[in-house]
Structure formats: structure tokens, C-alpha cells
Amino acid sequence: MDQHISEPLSPILDFSPQGKRPSRPITVEQGPQLQLVPVVHTAIDKPPKKKSFRPQAIPQIGQAFASESLIEDGSFSEIPGLKTDVQKTKTKTRAVSSEPMRPKTVKLGKAGTVSDVPETASPVGESSVIDLSSSPSSREGTPPPAKKARKQIDSSTVDKGKQRVKTAVTAAKGKKEKPKPVTPFEFAEQLKTMGLAGKTQRRVSSAPFLEGYNVFYTGGDRTYASETTRNRMEILVRLGCNLSSKFDQEVVTHIITEGSAGATLQALGMKRMGDIPEHIPTVKWSWVTLGMGSSHMPKEDLDEKLRNHLFNHGAFSDRLTAGMKSVIPPSKKGKNKSKSMNEEDISHISDFTQDKTRISNPRNAESHTIVHSSPKEIPAILPSPSITPPRRLISEATSSRVLLDQDPLAEFYERAKVSLAEDKGFLSAPSDNEEIFPVEEHPKPKKSRWTCDVKDKEIATCPNQDIIDKLSELMELHKAKPGQEDHWRAFAYSKGVTTPIRALKHHPTRIKTYEEARSIRAVGDKTARKIAEILETGDLRRIGYERTEDVQVAQILQGIYGVGRTTAYKWYSAGCRTLDDLRNGVGGVKLSSVQEIGLQFYDDINERMPRSEAEAIFNLIKPIALSIDPNLFIQIMGSFRRHDNRYVSLPTSLTLPNIRGKSSCGDIDILITRPVDDGKTHIGVLPRLLEALHSAGILTEDLAIPDDLYDLEATYRGLCRLPDVLNSKRRRIDFLTVPWKARGAALLYYTGDDIFNRAMRYKAGAMGYSLNQRGLHAGIVRDPQDRRVKINEGELELCIFFLRPSEQLL
DNA sequence: AGGCAAATACTG
DNA sequence: CAGTAT
DNA sequence: GCCT
């Protein structure tokens, strides 16, 4: 097994941009794996792909050699001239195809249009069943001195600051005992008059970035300044701001509150939120800590950052963008990137305007999106999908040569799935209505447990669908909002290990009462009350309450590939409300090139595609890839990505026999690797493939090109479409290349649903391993001070499919 | 009160 | 480095 | 927002 094959790479693989890649010897691995014996070897991991890092990384073992076998037999040291190439390929060309891969800018009249954002819903009167505690809209029923903020304080800059503050307080009072109760007003006055005299010894760790700000702070209690409040007031003063003891809208520039809406208004001496001048932002304490955490940057930058994050720390949803209006002056609009578009673009543009429903109401559109996307549009040109897997394109070559990859692999995740299901006490179907594409080479008969059949039925017949719909809707709103609280709130609905939505999907009977709902493991008091309300009224008022204009707009904007919460809110505060606003440069917003593409193909990208279309596209790609190198292992992976949590009931009639139900895919993930037993690798295939696919009209736009195309491990993201099909839509597509040995881990990693992955990692972690797309690693040592820091990358790698079943983790 | 997935890569 | 994506 |  230690044989070294010193033959040049096949010409096929030899095409560095510069023309030739030095040939180099490569050892072959074989044998060991056939015995399924655990193989332990030194790390083969490449160093992190840090551009800055790469050059000098791994002196001896040129990562080029990630060629596993090399390292595995420990003979790399003898291999001459290792370092050479690959490094330099870094300078590779970004554009793969002869023709420009970048699209010619967007700027089209009316494509998707966010027509009208529904009027802001009016807040509910009383709090009945509705739980009004939402974050930016933080209606904490009672004004608990935000422990959240407190926590942040403690953890960031802050330990110091805190201590300091304490001394300050005592000093100010001239005694060490507990200060006697004072009102916030009194305390602020005190600070003002006495200042921080005395404690100047220690300079503040944070720069006084609040200089020039006039801040009014309230912890929510007007009558008693808690320790927290006092501390914070001290900090505010230290940060250089002018602390106002009472609210004067002529003077105050920022309101910082941890109190409820009511308490805050009281402290301000106002009646309604609307009474607060629009130019005064009302934020939570976390906004201050954000600044403290960034005190290293120049005052100007920090100022901007603080402005940009006002919404992120807004205390009340109605005032999320207060004070931001001026940030991005609605400057010169119509800054048309009149780059102009070419004909091709125009033709595509015209056709994605149709479905405007989805635009004005993304959610709704969803349902019919799926319903309509029946495969009818897919002409017969395509190699007939699914049924009889179109000719085993995967080449006999591959399958015969790679006997070992058969069972171990397939069986592995088969087992993993089942094990997980048992583990969790429920059958885990892929988290959305997708199924992992079958591994063609070895269909497994016994995968009954988690096939989509089961799930289809469950979904179609779910007796609590209306509840799920409402909860999902609410979740989507939380998801679009900024801030941690909403994040976790949304997470709790469907992403956690045990969650209401997940549980409901599997609940066999119609829920009728609060108690019944409550009895479900993942359903807590809050959710149970919501369910009860839905049962009684058929509606959930909290939804209307959360669905404020900003959230709706944010939802729409975040639908653009490349736009997340921060950007969405930034644009919102710049005055953008619709996709057209973006196109028109309202507020002077600028889109990145990726965002331009995301905008141009907004509808396409957000739409799921029928599984058959994914297969059709893959079936076009595979032969092209194999023509570049017949020994490639190319495989489509199941995917479930971003916009996939749709819990839509579908007409069963759509369940076409050979399409495996109504299953659809959010994107196409293609894994490429190559057996190394003949001494060659897939290096170099990717760029050629990309070019070929561009030429074939399959790939249309690039979203992200790997830094190093000539890497054993690279990821490409882009858009593709069925060529020669009139008006075929753009679909998201990713190509992943991985070292041969990592294919198992990669397949697992990318095909598993979220729950599955989490469980795997959980187990791996518990056992002191780390699982990522590259493999299973042992010996990860983390900095005890900061779990995020890895001190030691781990010396060993166990390649999972070299393990005997009994040694596999799951 | 604290955790909830973690790791990695690309863009600007 | 922040933001986004997977 | 749920669980421990």
C-alpha cells in the first residue's frame, strides 16, 4: 500500500492557469480501508483558508498535498518539490469562463416589486392571551432590570468598569456602606454636580465615545435607582455623555431604557410613544455595551456604528428606526448603475415579474409557489429524471473501482438516521419536505423510516396545520427582526431539538385545549396560550402586533440573497421600502454585486424547485463533469437551506408517483471528489467544469468563487438554469469539492437535516471529538478561558468510514 | 441563570 | 473586521 | 421561548 506512483497527472487534470502544472508523485492508498479497520493518522487538515495565512502555511506538507494518501503513509517527507505549484495557483483567474461571468448589472424596470407594505398593525389593547413581550418591541410586562444587558456588561469590557463604578458610588457617597435609596433623578443630579470626582485614578477602559451625546437613562423605575441603574449612570458619565436627570426633548439626544413601554413613558413624562420626537432614538442598554465593545475604533467610525445599530437595540418596535433617518441622507438617487444590461438579461427579466403576489406577500405566495411549480414546465428535452436513473452516468469506472465506498458509507448514514430517531424518541424525517437523493449505486431498500412517503402523509394529514401555520408566521416575523431575543424566540419555535412546531407536525390528533397543548413536551405556557387563542378565535393577535412595517420590509429585503438583518434594517432606515426602491437607489443605498444578482432574481431564488428539476439539471452536469474526468465521483446532495421552512399543506393530488411526492429543493448541492487510487485527484476539475457549464448556459451567474480553485477542497456558489428551456428559472447551485477521504463526512454533513447534524455534533463533542465537513477529529483542545479558541487543532483524525460499525459514533 | 450548532468561507 | 451564507 |  505504500507504493508510490510517480506518473504525471493525467493531461486532463493538468491545466493550471499558467498552462502546466508540475507533475508530481502521489502515493496510492488502498487496502486498509477495505478492511474497515480504524485508521489513525496525523492530521491531514489543511490550514484554515485564510488568504493571509495560506502562503506560509504548512511549510513542508504543501497543502497541495492534501492528497491524503501522501500524508497517510508518512512518506511525504521524501517527496521532492512538494511545495511548488498549488500555492501559486492562488493567483488564479477569478473569471473562469471566457465570457464575463459577472452579470451585467441589473437595473431593470419592474421586476419583483414590493408593492405595498400593509399598514402597520395596531397594537392590541390588552394583553390577554397575547404575550406582549417581544424584544425590540420589548414589552416586558414588568420592568425587570434587564438581566440581559447586565450579563453583557459583566462579560465585555466591563468587569473593570463595573468595579470602578462601584468605587465611584461609594466615593460619591463618602461612605462604604450601602448607599441609601435615591431616585434616579437624584442620583443623576448627584453625578452631575459631583461628577465622578475621586475615582479618576483608573482611566476608563472605553474611550468616552458618548461625548456630545445627551442621554436620558431609565431603568424603568422612577422612584428608586437600583444598583444597576446607578452603575449605568456612572458608566454613561464616564463614557463622556451629558447625563440628563430629567427628560427634556429639546436637549436629550438619546433615550436609553430597560423599562417597559409604560414605565419608560412615565419616566419621560409622556403619554404615548408617538409623543417622543422622531429624532430621538430609544434604545436599550445593550447599545451602550456595543459601543464599549468597540471602543477601539476611531470615534467617527464608532459613531457611525452606533447609529447603524440603533435599530438593533431599539427598545420599542414603534421606535426602531427613530433617530436614524439622517444617517443615510436620501442623497442623489437614480444613481443608475446604468451599466446597462445586455439582451440576455432583458429576456430573463421580463418573465419573473409575473408572480406579484409573492412579492407583496412573500409568505402567501409560498403556498402556491410550490403548488404551481409542478414539473410541467420541464420539457421532455431533459433526460427523464428519477424513474430509471438515466444511465448510470456515474460511470462503471467509478463504482467498480471504488468498491469500498459502497456499503460503509451508505450504511453509515442509514444507521445514523435510525439511531438518531431512536435516540430522540421520534422519527426524524428530514426537516422539510425533502428527501436525500438516493445514492444511485446502492439503493437501500430498508430506508422506510425516513422516506418522504411517511412524511408526506404526515404533512398532508396534519390535524393541526392551522396552528402550525400561525406559529410559523409568527416565527418568521421574529426571524426577520434584529436582536438576540427574537433570534432565540424564532429558534425556539422550530430549530431547537424539541420545538413546538416540530412537535405539532407529529402530533397525531387535533389539539383541543390549552392543557392538551401544554402536555406536549416542547410546548410551554406561552405557546400553549397562543394555541388556545388560535383554537378559540382562529387567529393570533400577536402576529398582527409583531407585523410592523419595519419587520415586513425587513422580511422582504432579507429575501435578497446577500442581505441579512443588518443590511435590511440599514436600508429600511435609509428609506427603502420596496425592491423597487432599491433599484432606484432610494436613500442612496448601494448594492453589492452579489446583492444585485439576488435582487434581479429575487423570485427565482426564493422559490423552491421541483425535485425533478434539480435532477434534470444534475443530469446535464454530470456527463459534462465526467467528460472532464471519467473517474470523478459526482453526487447531488440533499439540501435544506435557508428559505425552506414552509409548512404548507399540499394537495395530495400533486403527489405524482415518479416525482416522489411534492418534494422540492431549495438549491442544488453537488459534491465532487475523486478516488485517489490511481494517483490522481480532482484538482483542476472545478475550474474546467465551471467554464464548461457557463459555456453550456447552465451556469449563469457566480455568487462566490473559491479563493483557490485548484484546491482539493473548494466551494463554488452560483446560479444555474436549464438551458434551452424557455423561461427556465434561475436556481441556486453549489459545487463542493472535497478530498476523497472526506467524502463520507461531507456527504453526512451536507445531506443531514439540521437536527441530525446537531445530534451528530453533539455526540461527537461529548466524546471529545469534533465533527465538521472534513471529518471527525480528536484531540481538540480549547482555551478554557474562551471556548471559542482552539489551542490545538487536534492531532488525530479518524476517518469515520474506516471505523467498524461498533466504533462508529452513532 | 444560562444555553440553545459550530465551523468555515467569501465579499467588501 | 462585519455581514452573510452554508 | 423552551428546557434544565
Side-chain angles (χ1 to χ4, degrees), chain A residues 346-355 604 727-729:
Chain A
I346 296 180
S347 66
H348 298 314
I349 290 155
S350 48
D351 65 79
F352 67 78
T353 320
Q354 348 148 264
D355 188 356
D604 283 6
N727 295 341
S728 64
K729 305 197 170 193

Side-chain angles (χ1 to χ4, degrees), chain A residues 464-483:
Chain A
N464 298 299
Q465 190 59 46
D466 56 329
I467 297 174
I468 293 173
D469 287 343
K470 292 291 180 191
L471 293 181
S472 300
E473 191 176 346
L474 180 55
M475 178 185 70
E476 292 298 330
L477 292 169
H478 282 305
K479 217 187 297 184
K481 293 179 145 202

Side-chain angles (χ1 to χ4, degrees), chain A residues 340-453:
Chain A
S340 98
M341 49 201 158
N342 60 19
E343 274 60 46
E344 201 188 60
D345 283 333
I346 296 180
S347 66
H348 298 314
I349 290 155
S350 48
D351 65 79
F352 67 78
T353 320
Q354 348 148 264
D355 188 356
K356 48 207 53 259
T357 20
R358 95 182 321 285
I359 300 168
S360 53
N361 188 345
R363 267 207 109 267
N364 263 355
E366 226 69 69
S367 39
H368 36 123
T369 290
I370 293 186
V371 172
H372 287 323
S373 59
S374 67
K376 63 169 191 296
E377 325 182 345
I378 300 174
I381 311 179
L382 316 171
S384 85
S386 39
I387 314 189
T388 23
R391 286 182 301 146
R392 298 297 154 82
L393 290 172
I394 196 142
S395 93
E396 276 58 60
T398 304
S399 37
S400 57
R401 127 180 6 251
V402 189
L403 20 120
L404 89 122
D405 112 278
Q406 262 55 99
D407 275 338
L409 190 53
E411 185 195 354
F412 179 73
Y413 63 47
E414 192 65 33
R415 293 163 44 85
K417 279 281 182 183
V418 174
S419 157
L420 171 72
E422 290 163 351
D423 217 33
K424 295 293 171 191
F426 65 86
L427 294 182
S428 161
S431 71
D432 75 338
N433 43 18
E434 290 180 33
E435 177 49 11
I436 293 174
F437 276 75
V439 180
E440 301 185 330
E441 285 73 13
H442 21 271
K444 285 298 218 174
K446 51 160 185 210
K447 73 171 97 170
S448 52
R449 316 262 260 158
W450 41 293
T451 50
C452 56
D453 310 53

Side-chain angles (χ1 to χ4, degrees), chain A residues 559-616:
Chain A
I560 299 170
Y561 186 95
V563 176
R565 294 190 243 254
T566 301
T567 308
Y569 272 87
K570 195 172 352 182
W571 288 349
Y572 176 82
S573 59
C576 291
R577 296 293 181 273
T578 67
L579 298 184
D580 271 342
D581 284 350
L582 258 30
R583 297 190 173 98
N584 296 328
V586 170
V589 302
K590 300 277 288 181
L591 281 70
S592 72
S593 56
V594 165
Q595 290 162 344
E596 291 278 6
I597 296 171
L599 177 58
Q600 183 177 1
F601 301 107
Y602 187 91
D603 285 0
D604 283 6
I605 294 176
N606 282 322
E607 185 175 309
R608 297 174 70 79
M609 79 194 98
R611 175 174 300 280
S612 57
E613 184 172 343
E615 287 189 57

